[in-house]
Amino acid sequence: MPGGRPRGFDAEAALDRALEVFWRQGYEGTSLADLTAAMGINKPSLYAAFGNKEELFAKALDRYLAGPGHFAAEALEAPTAREIVERMVYGAIELVAGEGAVGGCLSVGGLHACGPDAEPVRREVAARRRAGDLALARRLEEVGDLPPGCTPTDLVRLVTTLTDGFAVQARAGHDRESMRRTAAMVLASLGW
């Protein structure tokens, strides 16, 4: 029995365009009309290929974490706590304010989704962030060369505060160099 008509669009390219729209406008600021226009498809095709808006956002978030946000997973491969933290912090700056950056962070923006209809998205983003924080804490515990008086949890909290702050600063129009100066001051204060 035939499986129906083949798709008349490139699903991967459409997902990339959906990611860009969500990243630029946030979950709540993005309408289905915005998505279909950017993706070059109609609503039935969107639903058939990606599910509803919430499911599409989850797929876009997967793409974001595997693509532009992959620096965070790569940072965990560094051999020392200092290198891990530096790669996380400077990688976040490049993500939010580097060449061709959209500005801001899809993950941070997802946490700010606040209407009742967006609550499942906010919970999903928060769960993914907790998993990332746990992976970072475990890796920092493995390498063990933490700054004096600092626990892995303390260092994760510092990294998250910095990187989230840079995402907000990027949305407000701050430039990459000012963020890099702030990062350098904070990292120098750790006494490594």
Side-chain angles (χ1 to χ4, degrees):
M1 178 177 233
R5 285 189 315 179
R7 286 193 183 121
F9 65 93
D10 180 343
E12 297 298 311
L15 183 55
D16 285 339
R17 290 190 293 272
L19 167 58
E20 290 172 19
V21 174
F22 280 129
W23 195 353
R24 197 175 294 109
Q25 297 177 195
Y27 178 78
E28 289 179 311
T30 300
S31 69
L32 285 175
D34 295 332
L35 291 166
T36 56
M39 297 167 79
I41 60 176
N42 60 28
K43 284 182 186 179
S45 293
L46 184 149
Y47 290 127
F50 302 105
N52 63 22
K53 179 180 169 186
E54 183 182 321
E55 292 168 313
L56 177 57
F57 183 83
K59 288 175 175 69
L61 186 57
D62 288 339
R63 190 134 186 129
Y64 175 81
L65 296 173
H70 189 65
F71 72 90
E74 290 174 351
L76 298 180
E77 298 171 11
T80 66
R82 180 185 180 118
E83 288 177 80
I84 293 167
V85 170
E86 286 177 346
R87 290 181 188 184
M88 293 286 286
V89 170
Y90 290 112
I93 292 169
E94 289 306 307
L95 174 73
V96 301
E99 188 74 30
V102 172
C105 172
L106 182 65
S107 174
V108 171
L111 287 176
H112 292 212
C114 56
D117 291 342
E119 184 58 23
V121 167
R122 194 194 65 70
R123 281 194 313 266
E124 172 72 17
V125 171
R128 291 182 190 220
R129 290 173 59 89
R130 282 190 302 274
D133 288 351
L134 182 58
L136 177 56
R138 285 182 178 151
R139 180 64 179 133
L140 290 170
E141 193 170 334
E142 284 175 12
V143 294
D145 63 325
L146 303 175
C150 191
T151 69
T153 302
D154 295 334
L155 203 48
V156 168
R157 203 171 301 118
L158 175 69
V159 167
T160 301
T161 300
L162 266 178
T163 58
D164 288 1
F166 291 142
V168 172
Q169 286 186 333
R171 276 282 187 211
H174 293 267
D175 65 88
R176 173 174 43 180
E177 290 313 310
S178 66
M179 291 182 218
R180 290 182 65 82
R181 285 192 304 275
T182 300
M185 285 188 311
V186 171
L187 294 174
S189 73
L190 291 174
W192 265 315

